[in-house]
Amino acid sequence: MHQPPTFEVDGTAIRQERMQAGLEISELAELAGISRRYLSHLENGTRTRMRPSRYAALRKALKASATRLLAPPRPPENKE
């Protein structure tokens, strides 16, 4: 089964950007066109992936760079 492309996001970075912007979670959710609950799940790490359109809307609402909200790359697994 084909999985749609997604972005792996960093919930801590999202929360930091939201707080720096002086926005409540409900305010940012409304600006980005996503639910407050979904945004809360992203910030606390319950959800870590976003579809491109939602990611773009969140970035736009926060005026964040293309990579600021992304999770740091994972080191390659060591297969011994």
Side-chain angles (χ1 to χ4, degrees):
M1 183 175 197
H2 176 65
Q3 292 290 329
T6 58
F7 290 93
E8 188 169 359
V9 296
D10 179 351
T12 302
I14 294 170
R15 181 180 293 114
Q16 288 171 345
E17 290 295 315
R18 176 179 60 78
M19 294 178 81
Q20 189 174 17
L23 296 169
E24 295 292 327
I25 198 163
S26 56
E27 293 172 315
L28 176 56
E30 186 174 332
L31 287 171
I34 59 179
S35 73
R36 183 201 173 287
R37 184 174 180 171
Y38 179 68
L39 181 54
S40 177
H41 284 230
L42 291 169
E43 285 192 1
N44 69 32
T46 304
R47 296 192 71 149
T48 59
R49 298 204 163 270
M50 296 184 78
R51 290 199 172 145
S53 60
R54 287 184 175 175
Y55 179 69
L58 182 61
R59 276 188 41 233
K60 182 178 177 185
L62 287 171
K63 299 179 176 91
S65 71
T67 59
R68 171 64 179 116
L69 306 178
L70 294 178
R74 295 180 188 178
E77 291 183 18
N78 189 0
K79 297 179 181 179
E80 291 184 32

